[in-house]
Amino acid sequence: MSAGPGPSAQAAGWRLRPLGPDRARLADGFLAERQRVNRRHTLPHGFAQLRQSGTLDNLRLAAGADGRYRASADTSGATFPFLDSDVYKWLEAVGWELGRAPDPALAAAADEAIGLVTAAQRPDGYLNSYVQVVTGGTPHTDLAWGHEFYCAGHLIQAGVAWHRALGDDRLLEVAVRAADRIDKEFGPTGREGVDGHPGIEMALVELTRATGDGRYLALAARMLELRGKGLLGEGRFGAAYWQDHLPVREAATVAGHAVRQLYLDCGAVEVAVELGDEGLLAAVARRWRDLVGTRTYLTGGMGSRHRDESFGDPYELPPDRAYAETCAAIAGVMLAWRLLLATGEACYADALERALYNGVLPGVSLTGTRFFYVNPLQRRTDRAFEPPGHGGRAPWYPCACCPPNLMRTLSALEQYLATSDGAGVQLHQHATADLRAPVPGGEARLAVRTGYPWHGRVTVEVVDAPGRPWTLSLRVPGWCRSAMLVGPGEEPPRAAAAGYVELSRPWRAGDTVVLDLELPVRVTEPDPRVDAVRGCVAVERGPLVYCLESADLPPGLALEELRWDPRREPVAVPRPDLGEVVVGVAVPVVREPSRGGGPDGLSAGAVPYFAWANRGAEAMRVWIPR
Ligand SMILES: [Zn+2]
């Protein structure tokens, strides 16, 4: 019983193996606090919203209760058929949390939700409240838009989480019956069909790992091979919208709806690793390189277009009109994690870090109860128009995919920290944590202590280890220009380059390694091909992207009046006024000459982008004109 959010340690083909929820624990510090807020505030809020929005009652109706189905609609009046998935994502989050420590109130809420899910399932295994209550009960009549497999995928992921975290198989049994129903109709000798929204593929692979039944892996592989053959048609946005324009192993670049593409590629990595399919893995890695090189925001946000929630063209990355759905950043983390496990390459851990700190965390307020669906990198002072629900943070959304996706991600944060392989332990994300990892000769226990991301010192103490030699690998992030490392008994410190620095020795209890990452404020220029921000600079420090917010401007000045002052350097400054934000940046600015210029010596406070919009509906910008 040891696995991560997604890939489990049992997969034979992973280059690196996750430690799993029972072997990693955030002990203190920045990420631990985000996880604590998620548990204490976000999860109870989420349950209240699932109740209030009718999403839980919809399952009650599917189970036979009387009442009116409450499917919220988009601006065109089309109702959303996928709301069950919000319950499943919330349940997955609660599973990870209860696995870490009991909580009677959360457990009672989860029992109610699991009871509803169980009661709603038909005797033949079919389970989808929208189809059962609204569209007459015939399954799979609209694979393109119906999201039935998508919902089943989230159900499976929740079931696997409860199985792994708690050994509680109530949801897994529901998930198995649902998957069996799908396999019966769409398995090797059955109907050919893929879902308009990928996601079930990675879940099916996990279901094989959890149950040992290879049918689900085979079904996932079949669905991947069937995509790109035109089964879904053109729809409203063209076949690329749901990645049905080219076979998965042939498409050279990402295309269409960002979350769909990223979930699809997560499934492709899972299948590739299980089947030893190097070609399939290479196809995903090639798409990823193109995505990170040409269509990813500085924040790790992905998918710039509002119209169809899609990736734009290469370098089409407008800051103000960025879509950058929170779910896409989460999916980016999920895919980077899988590629890291499959290859062991540091670039994926770098990308995961950027997306986590700057793409995922901005999606939830510091209080844990207000969310962003879209994540622009600029918001103007005078806003004539903002899409409904896309202006300030909202307590919930009619299409509520993002909030519970955040919940399950934050509840599993510790599972992204470290891995093991046959040679030793790899530390990928720096956070104060207690880890247990299999190493040659037994198990090692490590205590990682750090003030990251505000401070760059990472101390790793070996609490316990078998006597045999093994290798401890620590990641030096790609953004880091200067890092020093001291191992046990080593003097003086030695320089460590970006990538993984490795120490091999017979480790003993008390051995300590200190990694010092320099965290200067960095001034980042955009790729010149990103026309929308040409002539601007951004401020970064460590893994964090910063932004200017109107609350921190010199009195009497609007955000749009400011320019970067290249004659002076930005400096890190403490921000005791912002609670969880420890380090801000004082950005040297001048007033636009066209607005009268002067006075000299102005500076504007920049805050980490993840912390913006926690002080009212402020104007904000990441990219600052020079
Ligand atoms: Zn979303």
Side-chain angles (χ1 to χ4, degrees), residues 89 259 325-328 373 399-403 405:
K89 281 186 273 192
V259 178
E325 183 184 340
T326 302
C327 280
Y373 190 114
C399 171
C401 52
C402 301
N405 218 2

Side-chain angles (χ1 to χ4, degrees), residues 20-61:
D22 51 336
R23 284 185 157 147
R25 181 163 300 237
L26 285 163
D28 194 11
F30 179 78
L31 292 182
E33 176 61 13
R34 301 318 311 151
Q35 193 173 65
R36 189 192 69 80
V37 169
N38 185 55
R39 177 187 179 100
R40 288 274 293 278
H41 302 290
T42 315
L43 289 178
H45 172 84
F47 189 72
Q49 292 293 328
L50 290 170
R51 194 190 286 289
Q52 195 180 320
S53 62
T55 303
L56 284 167
D57 278 339
N58 290 342
L59 288 163
R60 220 180 297 276
L61 301 182

Side-chain angles (χ1 to χ4, degrees), residues 39 97-107 166:
R39 177 187 179 100
E97 284 300 337
L98 295 180
R100 188 176 304 115
D103 181 312
L106 272 183
L166 291 151

Side-chain angles (χ1 to χ4, degrees), residues 220-532:
R222 174 173 160 85
M223 287 174 172
L224 282 168
E225 296 302 335
L226 287 173
R227 193 170 291 268
K229 301 200 186 312
L231 291 174
L232 292 167
E234 292 292 311
R236 290 202 289 276
F237 302 116
Y241 172 74
W242 32 49
Q243 296 77 42
D244 199 30
H245 60 308
L246 282 170
V248 173
R249 64 178 69 243
E250 287 176 25
T253 68
V254 295
H257 186 277
V259 178
R260 290 170 205 245
Q261 174 78 69
L262 294 164
Y263 279 5
L264 177 68
D265 279 352
C266 284
V269 175
E270 297 271 7
V271 167
V273 163
E274 284 294 340
L275 300 182
D277 189 335
E278 294 290 337
L280 186 56
L281 180 61
V284 178
R286 183 179 51 177
R287 280 195 286 277
W288 176 268
R289 278 193 299 277
D290 174 71
L291 167 61
V292 169
T294 71
R295 298 171 221 239
T296 302
Y297 283 98
L298 186 68
T299 54
M302 294 169 177
S304 57
R305 290 191 185 170
H306 283 243
R307 177 178 165 271
D308 51 355
E309 305 183 302
S310 71
F311 301 104
D313 287 333
Y315 309 107
E316 181 190 334
L317 296 166
D320 47 353
R321 293 294 294 157
Y323 196 69
E325 183 184 340
T326 302
C327 280
I330 291 170
V333 165
M334 293 164 66
L335 180 54
W337 174 240
R338 284 162 174 78
L339 287 166
L340 173 65
L341 297 179
T343 67
E345 293 171 17
C347 63
Y348 299 117
D350 284 347
L352 194 161
E353 177 178 81
R354 180 171 291 279
L356 174 61
Y357 282 92
N358 308 292
V360 175
L361 292 183
V364 58
S365 66
L366 297 176
T367 60
T369 55
R370 294 291 181 276
F371 307 96
F372 273 138
Y373 190 114
V374 302
N375 295 276
L377 281 72
Q378 178 182 4
R379 184 200 262 167
R380 290 189 175 76
T381 302
D382 300 309
R383 300 181 299 280
F385 171 77
E386 274 182 341
H390 290 176
R393 295 181 180 278
W396 204 246
Y397 287 89
C399 171
C401 52
C402 301
N405 218 2
L406 282 159
M407 294 175 207
R408 66 176 185 158
T409 304
L410 293 170
S411 69
L413 275 182
E414 71 277 17
Q415 301 180 46
Y416 293 109
L417 301 180
T419 57
S420 70
D421 64 5
V425 185
Q426 303 80 38
L427 304 186
H428 304 288
Q429 304 299 333
H430 301 305
T432 291
D434 295 315
L435 308 171
R436 292 188 297 119
V439 294
E443 182 177 80
R445 286 197 296 135
L446 305 175
V448 185
R449 299 294 178 261
T450 180
Y452 204 80
W454 312 113
H455 307 288
R457 171 160 290 194
V458 182
T459 303
V460 184
E461 184 191 346
V462 176
V463 178
D464 195 15
R468 299 218 338 237
W470 51 274
T471 303
L472 177 63
S473 304
L474 291 90
R475 172 173 151 266
V476 176
W479 51 257
C480 185
R481 302 283 170 266
S482 174
M484 302 298 285
L485 181 87
V486 187
E490 290 182 2
E491 277 297 341
R494 56 178 157 123
Y500 290 94
V501 54
E502 298 183 346
L503 296 95
S504 298
R505 52 184 286 136
W507 296 90
R508 287 196 307 267
D511 283 347
T512 299
V513 176
V514 179
L515 175 66
D516 274 310
L517 307 168
E518 258 191 35
L519 296 183
V521 176
R522 307 193 304 283
V523 180
T524 303
E525 297 199 17
D527 188 299
R529 289 165 288 192
V530 185
D531 294 88

